[in-house]
Amino acid sequence: MPGLFFEDLSLDQSAQIARTVSAADVEAFAAVSGDDNPLHLNEAYAATTPFKRRIAHGMLTGAYISAVLGSRLPGPGAVYVSQTLRFRRPVGLGDEVTTTVTVRELDPRKGHATFATICTVAGKTVADGEAVVLVPKRDA
């Protein structure tokens, strides 16, 4: 299933997904990434930290951005070029993360689209940044 072509994109176009972070998600991400920091996996340890609870890996939140770009806007066929991320607040187990990407710049010469990226929980920003994506052109 092809995604959008570069020519289909316009400034301020956006898409989003919402995902609720589960313990299984965090444990699977730890297994895949190799990041077994007890802050993410051990409730007793996490209780001794400033967060007082287990929190999700920051890059799990970043993966939600990839999910929007790769499946919604621009969708299948898009290729990441770069991503900046600032982690603003922790994401806990059971939090619903809403991830939104919005077209901010279009470079027809390179076929690059620049997206503002933001992840929120209960209306508060937990991560934000900017993604640059190579988007297939219709006549390529």
Side-chain angles (χ1 to χ4, degrees), residues 6 13 22 33 36 45 48-49 59 70 73 82 90 111 118-119 128 133:
F6 184 85
Q13 189 174 5
S22 70
S33 68
D36 60 0
Y45 175 84
T48 68
T49 72
M59 292 309 293
L73 180 67
S82 65
I118 185 167
C119 300
D128 61 10
V133 177

Side-chain angles (χ1 to χ4, degrees), residues 26-41 56-59:
V26 171
E27 290 155 12
F29 192 86
V32 168
S33 68
D35 181 351
D36 60 0
N37 183 333
L39 176 59
H40 307 304
L41 302 172
H57 301 76
M59 292 309 293

Side-chain angles (χ1 to χ4, degrees), residues 2-10 13 68-70 72-82 101-115 131-140:
L4 296 176
F5 291 104
F6 184 85
E7 295 83 0
D8 300 324
L9 299 179
S10 59
Q13 189 174 5
V68 179
L69 294 170
R72 304 269 169 96
L73 180 67
V79 177
Y80 248 126
V81 174
S82 65
V101 303
T102 305
V103 178
R104 289 295 177 230
E105 290 179 40
L106 295 168
D107 182 343
R109 186 176 62 77
K110 291 183 177 179
H112 287 179
T114 301
F115 294 84
V132 177
V133 177
L134 175 61
V135 183
K137 291 188 176 184
R138 182 170 275 111
D139 54 353

Side-chain angles (χ1 to χ4, degrees), residues 40-130:
H40 307 304
L41 302 172
N42 183 301
E43 195 68 52
Y45 175 84
T48 68
T49 72
F51 304 111
K52 304 294 183 207
R53 62 187 174 134
R54 286 174 60 188
I55 62 171
H57 301 76
M59 292 309 293
L60 175 59
T61 304
Y64 296 152
I65 297 167
S66 180
V68 179
L69 294 170
S71 67
R72 304 269 169 96
L73 180 67
V79 177
Y80 248 126
V81 174
S82 65
Q83 173 78 55
T84 62
L85 279 173
R86 289 174 293 220
F87 299 106
R88 306 287 189 163
R89 290 182 172 79
V91 173
L93 304 183
D95 284 351
E96 182 179 70
V97 179
T98 300
T99 303
T100 305
V101 303
T102 305
V103 178
R104 289 295 177 230
E105 290 179 40
L106 295 168
D107 182 343
R109 186 176 62 77
K110 291 183 177 179
H112 287 179
T114 301
F115 294 84
T117 60
I118 185 167
C119 300
T120 61
V121 171
K124 294 183 179 180
T125 300
V126 295
D128 61 10
E130 180 178 273

